[in-house]
Amino acid sequence: MSSYAWIERSLATIHKANWYRQVQPIAGRTGPEVNLQGTPVLNFASNDYLGLAGDERLIEAAVAATRDYGTGSTGSRLLSGHRPLHRDLEIAIARLKQTEDAIVFSSGYLANLGTISALVGPRDGIFADAYNHASLRQGSRLSGAMVQEYPHGDMAALRQQLQQQRSQVRRALIVTDGVFSMDGDLCPLPQLLDLAQEYNCMLLVDDAHGTGVLGRRGAGTVEHFHCGDRPLIQMGTLSKALGSLGGYVAGSASVIDYLRNRAPTWIYTTGLSPADAAAAKAAIAIVEAEPQRRQQLWTHQTYLKQKLSTILKQKSQLIPSSSPILCIQLADAAQAVRLGATLRESGLFLSAVRPPTVPTSRLRITLMATHQRDHLDRLCESLASLAL
Ligand SMILES: *Cc1c(COP(=O)(O)O)cnc(C)c1O
């Protein structure tokens, strides 16, 4: 018996549970309409909320930076991988977020791993929302801190945990998504900040889906809740509304300075490519200069939410959302796979999200500012014909 035979058995189990996943090749430039395996489809599966990943200005910025600096940054930021472009981007992020400083990582995932494990260790405690993103969970585990999950959004439960456990650990960190990526609802930020203050905890908010989308200036969840003057640490990604690749942390000058010295996923990895950094910087300028994109996105969100509530047999099937992420609850993974395929055949690309990513299967619709009203109507027609 080969020592690798278990892999075949494990794959068979994954297939049997309807959990098997594979990549789906998209040809050509991304946008509200894409070519999926040779078929044109309406795209309701991307995180490109403002439609910037295919924007000429980002492309031009990436091409120009590649010509100026080359394709790779050639080393870690502290050795040979730092360019003026990286610092310009960090300053632009700090300005958008209205924080003292910011630091750019090679991905949001790496930002979470490095930040959490730099902030807390084995003598410390993490209090985490049960629906947190995988990168927050992995980061929490990696830190070696005691991890206590509280039920999703349940502030009474969190308070009770803090009452019982805060004194047993040295430092404490509350960790939450700002916008929950697989549900679309928001964290109760003001209450979290109050609890953090009352129990002497740090608070890390993952704003991957809020940046560029929420708040008057598009600064994200913290701006949405008018909490910019309270002490907290924000992280986010350059790869969703900002249409590029990379992650960031924004906060006080001392937090950022500390991360530059203590976050292993920043110190020991190659700096962001010049093209990605330049594209993200161009995107931030557009977020600041074109609020109409955000307005269009929210107009779409209101319209689709209203229409979905008339299509679905039970209103409870639509998971409560305050973001451009709208999810329809399904019975099981088999139904998710089946509906995903049926919708594909009618020219609609949306994600069928299944365990282990989420506890229950769902169809996940993400909106873009660059969708047309007609795109939303076509989505609703197809969903209506499924008799959900
Ligand atoms: C996408 C995402 C990340 C990871 O960001 P990447 O830049 O894609 O690595 C982290 N947190 C949340 C909530 C996300 O949705």
Side-chain angles (χ1 to χ4, degrees):
M1 184 62 100
S2 139
S3 47
Y4 301 95
W6 66 270
I7 294 175
E8 296 294 338
R9 292 195 301 275
S10 190
L11 275 169
T13 308
I14 294 169
H15 274 290
K16 222 169 144 191
N18 272 308
W19 285 17
Y20 185 73
R21 306 197 259 191
Q22 53 196 335
V23 297
Q24 326 201 40
I26 291 174
R29 197 183 288 188
T30 188
E33 295 174 89
V34 292
N35 188 301
L36 184 63
Q37 290 166 314
T39 315
V41 290
L42 290 179
N43 184 7
F44 290 101
S46 96
N47 298 314
D48 184 19
Y49 299 110
L50 299 177
L52 294 180
D55 191 284
E56 280 301 335
R57 294 166 289 182
L58 272 71
I59 294 168
E60 282 309 316
V63 170
T66 304
R67 290 203 192 289
D68 289 350
Y69 294 101
T71 48
S73 66
T74 77
S76 66
R77 290 280 296 284
L78 290 173
L79 295 176
S80 62
H82 180 77
R83 305 286 175 277
L85 200 54
H86 293 114
R87 191 58 197 150
D88 293 348
L89 173 60
E90 289 169 342
I91 291 167
I93 292 167
R95 194 180 58 218
L96 176 68
K97 294 273 168 183
Q98 309 248 284
T99 55
E100 286 176 5
D101 205 353
I103 179 173
V104 169
F105 289 74
S106 301
S107 80
Y109 202 108
L110 289 174
N112 275 336
L113 295 194
T115 301
I116 297 173
S117 50
L119 292 174
V120 288
R123 292 161 64 193
D124 306 320
I126 291 173
F127 297 86
D129 190 288
Y131 284 12
N132 275 351
H133 188 260
S135 56
L136 293 173
R137 292 162 186 265
Q138 287 292 334
S140 299
R141 210 174 302 165
L142 188 66
S143 74
M146 178 280 299
V147 181
Q148 175 69 60
E149 276 195 353
Y150 55 89
H152 178 49
D154 188 339
M155 293 298 96
L158 172 59
R159 172 179 290 280
Q160 199 174 20
Q161 290 173 358
L162 289 169
Q163 264 164 4
Q164 287 166 0
Q165 296 172 44
R166 175 63 188 96
S167 61
Q168 291 164 29
V169 291
R170 179 183 59 168
R171 294 197 283 261
L173 175 68
I174 302 173
V175 179
T176 183
D177 281 22
V179 178
F180 286 88
S181 54
M182 293 298 147
D183 296 79
D185 58 339
L186 311 185
C187 72
L189 187 63
Q191 292 91 317
L192 284 164
L193 282 161
D194 289 345
L195 285 172
Q197 190 178 345
E198 191 176 337
Y199 289 94
N200 186 26
C201 304
M202 300 176 284
L203 174 63
L204 175 67
V205 174
D206 177 337
D207 214 17
H209 295 272
T211 304
V213 171
L214 284 169
R216 190 179 57 81
R217 296 167 44 256
T221 305
V222 175
E223 184 185 41
H224 170 83
F225 284 108
H226 306 288
C227 291
D229 56 343
R230 316 252 334 238
L232 83 168
I233 302 169
Q234 303 179 56
M235 71 71 61
T237 178
L238 306 175
S239 46
K240 286 173 179 147
L242 300 181
S244 181
L245 178 69
Y248 66 83
V249 175
S252 72
S254 57
V255 163
I256 303 306
D257 206 24
Y258 177 78
L259 291 178
R260 277 193 288 262
N261 286 277
R262 280 285 182 270
T265 60
W266 185 81
I267 298 170
Y268 301 108
T269 195
T270 301
L272 205 58
S273 79
D276 288 323
K281 189 166 159 276
I284 292 173
I286 295 172
V287 165
E288 288 174 330
E290 299 180 4
Q292 62 273 23
R293 284 180 177 267
R294 213 156 31 253
Q295 280 155 20
Q296 186 62 65
L297 180 63
W298 286 103
T299 303
H300 285 336
Q301 196 260 12
T302 308
Y303 179 77
L304 184 62
K305 222 169 138 174
Q306 203 282 327
K307 276 201 103 167
L308 286 177
S309 71
T310 62
I311 289 170
L312 298 171
K313 278 204 211 82
Q314 294 165 358
K315 289 214 193 313
S316 60
Q317 281 171 280
L318 188 61
I319 298 177
S321 166
S322 308
S323 73
I325 303 166
L326 297 173
C327 294
I328 302 169
Q329 193 86 60
L330 299 175
D332 51 38
Q335 190 192 18
V337 175
R338 207 173 55 243
L339 292 184
T342 309
L343 288 164
R344 182 79 48 84
E345 279 159 27
S346 51
L348 291 159
F349 180 34
L350 38 109
S351 315
V353 195
R354 292 165 280 161
T357 307
V358 286
T360 56
S361 295
R362 65 202 61 181
L363 290 175
R364 178 176 183 266
I365 302 162
T366 49
L367 290 167
M368 304 168 67
T370 45
H371 277 131
Q372 305 291 318
R373 179 62 67 87
D374 166 62
H375 295 153
L376 310 188
D377 290 336
R378 279 159 64 192
L379 169 66
C380 289
E381 263 168 49
S382 292
L383 288 172
S385 72
L386 294 175
L388 287 164

